Amino acid sequence: MWQSSPPGSIYDYIRVASFSIGPDGLIEQWSRRAAGLFGIAADEAVGLDPVEAFMPAELRGDGRRRVGEILDGKEWTGLVPFRMPGEDTVHGLAEIYVMPSGTETGERAAICIVVDVRALRRIETDLAASQAIFGQSPFGFVLFGTDLTVVRANQRFATVFGGQAADHRGRTVDDYLARPEADRLTATLERVLETGASVTDLQLVGTAPGDPVSRHWSMNLYRVHSGSGRPIGIAGLATDVTRRQIAAREAASARRNLALLNEASARIGNSLDLETTARELLDVAVPGFCDLASVDLYQGLLTGDDAPPGSWDSLRQESVGGSAELRRVALASAVSDALPSSAGTGAPGTGGEPPVLGAVHRFTYNSPCAIALRTGHVEDVPGDDRGFVQSTLAVPMVAHDTVVGLVQFSRTKGSEPFGERDRALATELAARAAVCIDNARLYRREHERALILQRSLLPPGDPVAAGLDIACRYLPGNTATEVGGDWFDVIELPGHRTALVVGDVMGRGLRAAVAMGELRTAVRTLALLDLEPAEVLSALDEVARGLGTPGGTSSGGSGGTQWPSRAAHKTREVDLSEVYLATCVYAVYDPVTRRCTFANAGHLPPAVVEPGEPALLLDVPPGMPLGVGGEPFEEVEVELKEGSLLALYTDGLVESRDHPLDEGLAALRRALVEPERPLEDVCDRVLTTLDTRHGEDDIALLMARIQGLPADAVGDWRLPREPRSVGRARELARGQLLAWDLGELVDTTELLVSELVTNALRYGEGEIRLRLLRDRTLVCEVWDAGLVQPRRRRARDTDEGGRGLQLVGLLSVGWGSRRTPRGKTVWFELALPDGEPAAEPTVEQLLSMF
């Protein structure tokens, strides 16, 4: 069997058979297709009466009549039910086309063409279904031939790409998609045609005619076969998924934004440093949100101005000259070929280069960046056509109605442009960073104020004292404010003596620091009175008790009793938090004798390390803390060897929750080794060796190495109580000054020594003692046994005397008197010559004595 039509032609689907009827009405010829349709071989069918063999009994009469008419020369077409031979039921329905014919002898015959009606109905159904798919489907349907050209497309497909469905016949994928997408679809079609493996959800991007917006399509492809199984093309079902892609992109963007915000919450604000916070913001934004970014903060904010220029009211009042000064504090770039300085656009002026990191600059008045700073709203900065930046968002950093700076987020060409969601995210990121930066600004301001307060309450610089080498350390327990209640002080006293003070106000923080400042001021005031250490603590106790009383009054004192009101007394009883308690140790060191007098008010004992000996704690009676009152304070005088080390400290150094006080004191004694090392090193060793647990309590440490005044720097004489002692005092002073090579001070010293010795003879009692001390200044002291303190007065014009102390005050840099255990001491101090002639008293100063 051979055929000229290709396999899969229409005849493969339509079951067509033929046979012929002779003049006698019997079957003469029977084709193979008839044998296949009716199930009877040709040798069985030839000679049969077709009406008797294939028609049901009830139709045979009409069948014979039709056969007779056909043999008479009529054509006939109709539907005829047929049965298989030997069966009574109807087997099928055939459409028969009967054409009269003739034999060689001229007799009438007929040729019958038979078609299976069931095959025709199946073809009609398939065609109807195919037409429904192509014509009624809401999706784009296209059929590609084996040459990958369009064989057929439905109207939905034509609606997207224009024209009628028939217009697309013969087109290729290049007519619908740009080159990269067309090549990808072509390769996919070839693979499906070759392998027969279907492809689902192939994502394609393109534009429809007349629509500049990119569209997204999802395409399913599968190979189509003929009835014989031969591939005849590829069917494609295309669905527009642009909205789905937009929704998915927005959902992904929302997830990304939430992730960025979560990351920002975790990473921004971990430091209270302004520049570090700005860098943390860019670490979050680049490259997760943008390609380039920069942060500019107001210069006034960075320099610590109390009123930064970023408040909205002040921004609206800026002159047309531009924005206030800003400093670029952070830059970030995710683009490998981009210079870090190119992040952001907002260069000062027009057409200028962007500011480099650390540069101080201004934005021009009408620039988007300056407008964003003035209005507090996000501004779009267009990209430069000549550059690689596509667009920039200038976002003001606003915290508590204050603009602290500007952050610029930039995306390069090829990245997705900023949308509304991006603007909202940029604003949120900038706001979070702004709050952290404002907190850092407030912390810096409060920190600087706390440092100023603390430094004002502690001795400035390195304390200097005669006969002492001093080193000190202070570590506040409150690391946030760096203020506390511990204090130390080094106070110069007359006669080159030095007062060493260490105290601890109970409590922590600013309140304790304020109380400490009041007590320190009181100590300095009392020290200027040159009182004994026990007297200083007694007076200081009264001051501390007064601090805890409403209105600052005390229930007792040397100046008379001041009774608080009943309401004040009740307030004091109820509010025990206002009671100030403090411990303090007060020591006075005399470098001439190397003797130190201690008085203690509930404080820890001083530690002393003598050369070659282990450290020991001095047995100084502790006394009651300041503010308790009612108990006297005792004094202890100790002679310290040359080179000895004296340590005064607060309990934060030796006491902790983890170990008892005795262990801390023992550890301090062990740490005070090698006292001959530099004193600063000894301080550091003590702090690093002891388990101070810094942060639990304040720590104050004051260390002094005993040096003493050399014997050749002291002149000490005793004079009898007689008039000639005045001249003798002048001679002794002159000789000593010349020996010290202080000839420039001889005349002044002789004059002032004469006045003090004369006063001692006239108003004092007992033996007179003259002492000269040379250190950083020259000190002259005159001792006697009288208890009456000298008083400076203004003499009348007619008085012949009474101007001696005025002269002493005029010619010296300082003078005074103090009580001693056996009388009093009157002293004056002169500055050592510095090579320049001494200043002579003015006429006004001389006339003031009259």
Side-chain angles (χ1 to χ4, degrees), residues 11 13-19 33-34 37-38 77-80 82 92-97 112-121 123:
Y11 297 104
Y13 295 96
I14 302 175
R15 303 178 64 182
V16 180
S18 63
F19 62 92
R33 286 186 179 271
L37 176 60
F38 294 103
T77 301
L79 294 177
V80 179
F82 67 90
L93 184 66
E95 184 174 350
I96 300 178
Y97 178 45
C112 299
I113 305 297
V114 182
V115 177
D116 189 349
V117 175
R118 292 176 302 176
L120 290 178
R121 297 293 180 268
I123 291 175

Side-chain angles (χ1 to χ4, degrees), residues 404-443:
V404 298
L406 184 79
V407 57
Q408 298 181 67
F409 302 107
S410 301
R411 288 182 178 175
T412 57
K413 293 182 178 178
S415 299
E416 185 178 355
F418 289 113
E420 287 302 319
R421 289 180 179 270
D422 297 323
R423 292 170 65 92
L425 177 61
T427 303
E428 180 65 22
L429 288 175
R432 294 196 179 195
V435 171
C436 296
I437 287 176
D438 192 54
N439 290 339
R441 176 184 68 86
L442 295 175
Y443 168 78

Side-chain angles (χ1 to χ4, degrees), residues 341-488:
S341 61
S342 350
T345 55
T350 55
E353 291 297 326
V356 297
L357 186 63
V360 178
H361 62 94
R362 294 176 182 268
F363 292 117
T364 55
Y365 185 77
N366 291 322
S367 65
C369 295
I371 295 174
L373 288 171
R374 287 196 302 272
T375 62
H377 300 299
V378 181
E379 292 290 329
D380 291 312
V381 181
D384 187 359
D385 295 337
R386 297 170 295 176
F388 59 89
V389 174
Q390 176 180 233
S391 63
T392 299
L393 292 179
V395 186
M397 306 177 72
V398 183
H400 311 300
D401 291 339
T402 299
V403 179
V404 298
L406 184 79
V407 57
Q408 298 181 67
F409 302 107
S410 301
R411 288 182 178 175
T412 57
K413 293 182 178 178
S415 299
E416 185 178 355
F418 289 113
E420 287 302 319
R421 289 180 179 270
D422 297 323
R423 292 170 65 92
L425 177 61
T427 303
E428 180 65 22
L429 288 175
R432 294 196 179 195
V435 171
C436 296
I437 287 176
D438 192 54
N439 290 339
R441 176 184 68 86
L442 295 175
Y443 168 78
R444 174 182 289 186
R445 185 184 67 183
E446 296 303 321
H447 183 260
E448 291 176 352
R449 291 178 177 178
L451 289 179
I452 293 173
L453 172 62
Q454 190 68 55
R455 290 166 183 169
S456 67
L457 299 177
L458 297 176
D462 296 328
V464 178
L468 293 176
D469 182 16
I470 296 178
C472 50
R473 294 290 187 273
Y474 175 77
L475 299 176
N478 189 344
T479 56
T481 60
E482 297 199 12
V483 294
D486 290 13
W487 90 93
F488 64 89

Side-chain angles (χ1 to χ4, degrees), residues 165 170 179 186 239 334 431 617 735 807:
R179 175 60 62 185
T186 299
T239 306
L617 301 179
L807 188 62

Side-chain angles (χ1 to χ4, degrees), residues 26-38:
L26 303 178
I27 296 174
E28 284 188 345
Q29 295 178 343
W30 189 258
S31 67
R32 291 183 179 179
R33 286 186 179 271
L37 176 60
F38 294 103

Side-chain angles (χ1 to χ4, degrees), residues 682-713:
V682 177
C683 277
D684 293 336
R685 175 183 175 84
V686 169
L687 291 178
T688 55
T689 302
L690 270 66
D691 185 13
T692 61
R693 297 297 176 97
H694 177 49
E696 293 184 0
D697 196 6
D698 306 329
I699 296 175
L701 175 63
L702 177 61
M703 304 191 73
R705 176 172 286 122
I706 306 302
Q707 295 175 343
L709 286 181
D712 59 359

Side-chain angles (χ1 to χ4, degrees), residues 537 583-585 599-605 618-626 632-634 636:
L537 292 186
T583 62
C584 180
V585 60
N600 193 352
H603 204 79
L604 295 174
L618 294 180
D619 187 12
V620 179
M624 298 298 292
L626 301 176
F633 297 97
E634 301 181 33
V636 173

